[in-house]
Amino acid sequence: MHLIIADAEIELIPDELLKFPAVRATARRRGKKPSECLLDSSLHYSALRHLKDGGRRGRADITHFCLLLALDSIANRKGMLHTFVHTRNDLVMEFSPDVRLPKNYNRFAGLMEDVLVNGGVWSEGRQLISLKKESLKSLLERLGGRAYLLEEDGKQFSSFASLRDATLIIGGFPHGSFISDVGNMCRRISISGEKLMAWSAVSIVLARAFPAKLYF
């Protein structure tokens, strides 16, 4: 399965917010330039009021939860999961199956800053997280095959086994709609009759698509 956390609200602090007091305070604490710090709604909420879509931005914590579930899953450990994060700014992170992410959010935020500033993360000559400029549509074209986009009002879906060799897109934002336009490239599905948080959707899909009986 290709799992894409799409339109994820992960970004460095944009230029129009660099002079705000909360942003500069964060940079001083971190010992970094403001432009190299991650936008965080819990720290920069006053500045976000001045930013378009400010009510949904600065939510890297959503992606953090989703990645912890995905990369620590048995499916990933068995080489059956390929995980990507696509951001609102059309940057795509690709994660090696054996990367181990920090469980602490502050350390995760620091890791994301390294990825966005340096273009990836390497260890012992191996690239564990890569970064490239790419739209969601382009990523889907590159991966090929069947693609499903999880939406609250999508068609009810229960054929989880069919997801094992497909691409599944789950939104990495707190509310609202997808920003990216993927047109007719995806089948829009729902796995629940109610709204789910992104990490809940990830856990349900992985548990249903890759049940324990596959491994034991």
Side-chain angles (χ1 to χ4, degrees), residues 89-110:
N89 295 320
D90 280 340
L91 295 173
V92 171
M93 302 179 195
E94 185 172 348
F95 293 79
S96 170
D98 55 355
V99 68
R100 293 292 174 260
L101 298 183
K103 294 180 176 61
N104 177 273
Y105 173 74
N106 290 331
R107 291 182 59 205
F108 172 77

Side-chain angles (χ1 to χ4, degrees), residues 112-123:
M112 291 295 98
E113 289 167 349
D114 290 343
V115 173
L116 293 171
V117 171
N118 301 319
V121 170
W122 293 259
S123 178

